[in-house]
Amino acid sequence: AQSVTQLDSQVPVFEEAPVELRCNYSSSVSVYLFWYVQYPNQGLQLLLKYLSGSTLVESINGFEAEFNKSQTSFHLRKPSVHISDTAEYFCAVSRYNQGGKLIFGQGTELSVKP
Amino acid sequence: DAGVIQSPRHEVTEMGQEVTLRCKPISGHNSLFWYRQTMMRGLELLIYFNNNVPIDDSGMPEDRFSAKMPNASFSTLKIQPSEPRDSAVYFCASSSLQEEQYFGPGTRLTVT
């Protein structure tokens, strides 16, 4: 069975500082990997995904994540955060041929301070 | 497309009452998922459907919970009878094949 561990429950940072949100997964088979973002009182939105190909994937708002198969990690990074990036971030995995079922981590609350 | 639509957005009910949450997935998506989110337990998958057929309901907490998908454009999650510990935000999501899931805005349920 798959599992996802987000190593930090809360990450406070100052505006314009870099940030890394860590995600490790365990699975005996190949998986797809996702990062979702949840703003207060909203549903989850896809931030970026890794299905195959290049191990470095990017979002339109400056986030990137790198799939590292040997370390079973999919850490999320941004070189310079904005106040508007304050949200909860969820890492998730799904297994091939499992109908798109996602296993989510517990979430990391990113708090960007001025 | 309007995205995944959920109703109601907020529901306040008394313990023992029946609660029905509704979801309209994105047109053309063939998978539908129901999740529950609480501070204590995080985001939990309750049940999911492929082509209107329930595939995995292992996350449904008790027999008080039931879900149906009578057609490709509608699903319900019912709790009968409701209890205070059912208070949570319930999300519906839909997807196509192995693509990402699109989440609705959620229904905030409060059981008093």
Side-chain angles (χ1 to χ4, degrees):
Chain A
Q2 303 100 296
S3 66
V4 178
T5 302
Q6 291 184 241
L7 297 163
D8 307 293
S9 59
Q10 294 181 319
V11 174
V13 294
F14 287 105
E15 194 173 18
E16 298 184 5
V19 71
E20 178 180 80
L21 307 184
R22 296 179 292 169
C23 173
N24 286 92
Y25 69 94
S26 65
S27 176
S28 57
V29 299
S30 296
V31 295
Y32 299 128
L33 295 156
F34 305 84
W35 275 99
Y36 282 82
V37 59
Q38 184 178 29
Y39 299 103
N41 299 314
Q42 295 187 26
L44 279 73
Q45 304 171 32
L46 180 71
L47 190 60
L48 45 75
K49 62 184 178 183
Y50 170 78
L51 302 181
S52 65
S54 172
T55 58
L56 184 66
V57 291
E58 299 177 352
S59 72
I60 58 172
N61 58 350
F63 283 94
E64 64 178 32
E66 186 160 20
F67 168 53
N68 188 318
K69 188 174 182 179
S70 63
Q71 297 187 5
T72 60
S73 68
F74 192 55
H75 302 331
L76 182 69
R77 302 184 182 93
K78 188 170 185 178
S80 175
V81 294
H82 301 140
I83 298 285
S84 59
D85 292 325
T86 294
E88 185 136 22
Y89 292 79
F90 293 90
C91 183
V93 302
S94 71
R95 213 176 87 176
Y96 296 161
N97 300 320
Q98 209 172 33
K101 177 181 175 180
L102 288 174
I103 306 298
F104 281 92
Q106 284 298 99
T108 297
E109 187 179 333
L110 176 63
S111 176
V112 182
K113 304 179 188 306
Chain B
D1 201 308
V4 176
I5 299 172
Q6 291 188 247
S7 65
R9 293 293 309 276
H10 301 272
E11 177 81 28
V12 180
T13 190
E14 292 184 347
M15 183 174 63
Q17 297 297 307
E18 178 180 295
V19 174
T20 300
L21 311 181
R22 297 173 176 80
C23 176
K24 177 179 168 55
I26 293 173
S27 176
H29 282 186
N30 63 342
S31 295
L32 183 139
F33 306 81
W34 281 103
Y35 293 90
R36 178 172 69 176
Q37 186 177 39
T38 62
M39 289 292 291
M40 290 295 293
R41 300 173 68 90
L43 196 62
E44 304 172 276
L45 176 66
L46 301 178
I47 185 172
Y48 78 97
F49 297 82
N50 277 151
N51 296 316
N52 312 338
V53 176
I55 301 301
D56 184 351
D57 64 354
S58 60
M60 296 286 263
E62 308 172 26
D63 291 347
R64 297 185 297 107
F65 285 70
S66 63
K68 294 182 179 179
M69 192 164 186
N71 56 62
S73 59
F74 184 65
S75 177
T76 59
L77 177 68
K78 187 177 293 187
I79 308 173
Q80 166 64 16
S82 59
E83 296 182 2
R85 59 194 168 119
D86 302 330
S87 296
V89 181
Y90 291 82
F91 289 105
C92 175
S94 69
S95 72
S96 176
L97 300 176
Q98 298 282 5
E99 297 294 322
E100 65 267 24
Q101 293 181 20
Y102 292 81
F103 282 73
T107 295
R108 184 174 295 275
L109 174 65
T110 303
V111 183
T112 61

